[in-house]
Amino acid sequence: ITLLTKFNMLHIKPEWDREVEIEIIEDEEALNPDPYDFVYNNIPTSTNMLEEEEDCSLCHATKFKYETEGLCCKKGQIRLATPDTPPELMRLWTSNNPDARHFRQNIRFFNGHFSFTTLYCHLDRDTTDMRTAGIYTFPAHGQLYHNIHSFGNSQSNPKHLELYFYDDDPSLEHRYRLCREEMYKQDKNVIRIITDILRGNPYSQQFRSLGQAENIEDYRLILNLDQRLDQRTYNEPINSEVAAVWIEGNERRDTYDRNVILHGNNNEKEHIRSYCGCYDPLSYPLFFPRAELGWHRKIPKRETQEAHIATDNIINDDDPDSVSGLWVTMREYYCYKFHTRPGIFNPILHGGRLFQQFVVDTYIKIESSRLDYIWHNQKKIRAELYQGLLDRI
């Protein structure tokens, strides 16, 4: 037994009443104290918490201490309707069933599987690997690109939007081929559920209508990039509003003012710009299962006549904030979306790792749009910058 005292020597009187000097062996931990003892011995007994704040009286958003008053809804000027989430998808987001847990644990895989676009970015792999980083984070360096590929390329297996062409096949073998070997059974079950959920998606309906077409390489598909549905009283888009099809040789009609044309049987790809309303539903179908529009430039900020009759010439496609106070800006839109409101189910806030990706994507989207504005308006910016200097001279 090691005896710990503040003395180096201990005098013990044995039974025969003779004093014997015994050296005490000092404990190793006494010489090298545990560095965490300082933390453990100074754990506070009380918990520091931010004071409760009242919910916003205008939009009922949950507020944090010191959060600015107008961050959530611009003091009542912004009011967006909340689309209904399909019950089965809500179950996947919230339930503790095995399939729901597998869905949430692998959410980026499933979103990438059902996404209509491909995501390109320089991702920091060190922080996305929990074996080395401990806590998962999604940092991206530089720009994020959302590209949509043409269809009908017979040289490779179908992927992304091409998969929707074959979703009327009850076997779904075209999707099951992409399941991971170690999780084949779980992936297969969740993929079948999500396929059924997205049958009501207008893009899915339009692509499935081409699945039985012969000579699909002769087809051209026009995607509408200029949808302007009023999100204050949300109307779900319909097939004719999101896409149009014509066959090679037929006269093309200018169906939409701004569009992307996808050709059959080639390797072309088109970039979806961040100011397009279809940017979010094409890239995040699990957040927007009914192709609900994301941010676009024609979301009125308040009920005024001038907001409805405002002409397009006051809007600059390169500047997300050039809306003259009449329309909801990109930043204001996502501030409203990222707030929690009692009694309202927001799938974005249940997204876990996909939510982190969406937040980073949104941040880069806003910053890139502002940089685009600076890039395309150098003369105007410099004129304003030097005007005072010239007056002074």
Side-chain angles (χ1 to χ4, degrees):
I1 299 174
T2 301
L3 302 177
L4 297 179
T5 67
K6 63 179 180 179
F7 303 105
N8 290 330
M9 305 297 293
L10 177 66
H11 298 278
I12 299 178
K13 186 175 290 187
E15 293 180 355
W16 51 88
D17 199 19
R18 185 169 60 85
E19 289 188 355
V20 178
E21 216 170 67
I22 301 176
E23 183 179 359
I24 299 299
I25 302 174
E26 293 186 334
D27 190 3
E28 182 179 358
E29 291 187 0
L31 295 175
N32 301 300
D34 186 352
Y36 292 102
D37 281 345
F38 175 79
V39 178
Y40 299 147
N41 294 331
N42 292 277
I43 295 177
T45 57
S46 60
T47 303
N48 296 322
M49 298 180 63
L50 291 174
E51 297 179 13
E52 269 193 46
E53 284 288 304
E54 293 185 5
D55 294 348
C56 176
S57 60
L58 299 169
C59 71
H60 309 293
T62 302
K63 305 287 286 187
F64 286 101
K65 188 69 175 178
Y66 307 119
E67 188 175 300
T68 56
E69 182 181 359
L71 180 64
C72 53
C73 64
K74 205 69 174 177
K75 297 183 180 180
Q77 296 185 49
I78 301 172
R79 184 62 60 88
L80 303 177
T82 304
D84 293 331
T85 303
E88 186 66 7
L89 183 57
M90 186 182 296
R91 184 189 70 82
L92 292 178
W93 285 123
T94 59
S95 171
N96 284 324
N97 294 339
D99 58 346
R101 291 200 304 269
H102 181 72
F103 167 76
R104 293 192 297 271
Q105 291 169 359
N106 300 272
I107 184 60
R108 291 190 63 237
F109 166 77
F110 290 115
N111 186 79
H113 180 94
F114 286 94
S115 175
F116 298 92
T117 62
T118 54
L119 173 69
Y120 293 90
C121 70
H122 182 56
L123 187 64
D124 188 350
R125 298 289 179 183
D126 292 338
T127 57
T128 55
D129 187 353
M130 296 182 65
R131 293 172 297 181
T132 57
I135 300 176
Y136 177 90
T137 56
F138 185 91
H141 303 287
Q143 181 75 26
L144 267 75
Y145 298 94
H146 292 268
N147 294 333
I148 189 164
H149 290 252
S150 291
F151 56 90
N153 185 1
S154 58
Q155 311 241 339
S156 61
N157 292 326
K159 52 190 176 183
H160 295 289
L161 70 84
E162 291 180 297
L163 290 169
Y164 287 91
F165 291 176
Y166 311 101
D167 276 351
D168 282 336
D169 179 5
S171 68
L172 294 181
E173 288 300 326
H174 58 289
R175 290 197 179 274
Y176 295 159
R177 281 197 294 267
L178 300 179
C179 292
R180 295 161 295 182
E181 183 177 353
E182 66 278 10
M183 303 178 184
Y184 182 82
K185 187 175 181 180
Q186 299 98 314
D187 287 353
K188 182 177 178 180
N189 185 34
V190 174
I191 285 174
R192 178 185 54 79
I193 295 173
I194 299 177
T195 302
D196 292 338
I197 293 172
L198 295 181
R199 288 188 182 278
N201 185 296
Y203 292 104
S204 171
Q205 294 174 356
Q206 187 68 270
F207 295 146
R208 290 204 319 271
S209 68
L210 296 176
Q212 305 300 325
E214 297 181 0
N215 300 324
I216 195 171
E217 64 274 6
D218 295 332
Y219 281 71
R220 301 294 179 265
L221 183 64
I222 310 173
L223 295 182
N224 185 11
L225 303 183
D226 197 29
Q227 301 175 53
R228 301 178 182 181
L229 298 179
D230 186 357
Q231 297 193 23
R232 296 168 302 170
T233 54
Y234 195 83
N235 303 311
E236 292 183 0
I238 57 179
N239 292 13
S240 60
E241 292 174 332
V242 301
V245 178
W246 95 92
I247 304 175
E248 184 67 20
N250 293 349
E251 183 180 354
R252 174 195 166 191
R253 293 174 295 177
D254 293 328
T255 310
Y256 309 120
D257 294 334
R258 299 178 185 175
N259 54 55
V260 161
I261 302 177
L262 305 179
H263 301 264
N265 201 22
N266 65 20
N267 293 318
E268 293 181 1
K269 60 184 178 182
E270 297 285 346
H271 179 53
I272 305 297
R273 294 292 300 272
S274 60
Y275 55 75
C276 300
C278 62
Y279 182 92
D280 288 338
L282 287 175
S283 304
Y284 300 95
L286 299 182
F287 287 158
F288 305 89
R290 295 293 177 259
E292 301 93 338
L293 288 184
W295 177 83
H296 61 90
R297 299 184 182 279
K298 288 302 182 73
I299 305 175
K301 182 176 288 186
R302 53 185 178 268
E303 293 285 355
T304 60
Q305 184 178 2
E306 58 180 339
H308 291 285
I309 64 174
T311 56
D312 292 339
N313 58 9
I314 69 168
I315 293 182
N316 186 334
D317 279 340
D318 299 317
D319 182 14
D321 298 320
S322 66
V323 288
S324 303
L326 301 176
W327 312 89
V328 177
T329 66
M330 188 185 295
R331 176 185 173 275
E332 292 168 346
Y333 175 86
Y334 287 107
C335 282
Y336 188 95
K337 283 286 188 182
F338 288 154
H339 272 83
T340 302
R341 292 173 176 84
I344 296 179
F345 179 78
N346 187 349
I348 295 175
L349 301 181
H350 288 75
R353 296 181 181 182
L354 186 62
F355 170 69
Q356 291 192 12
Q357 175 183 323
F358 186 70
V359 169
V360 173
D361 196 353
T362 298
Y363 175 83
I364 295 177
K365 178 177 175 179
I366 296 172
E367 290 299 307
S368 298
S369 297
R370 290 174 174 170
L371 290 174
D372 286 345
Y373 173 76
I374 295 173
W375 176 265
H376 292 101
N377 292 271
Q378 281 293 295
K379 292 183 179 180
K380 183 190 300 184
I381 293 172
R382 291 177 178 178
E384 294 175 354
L385 176 65
Y386 291 114
Q387 186 62 46
L389 177 61
L390 295 176
D391 291 345
R392 180 66 177 172
I393 292 175

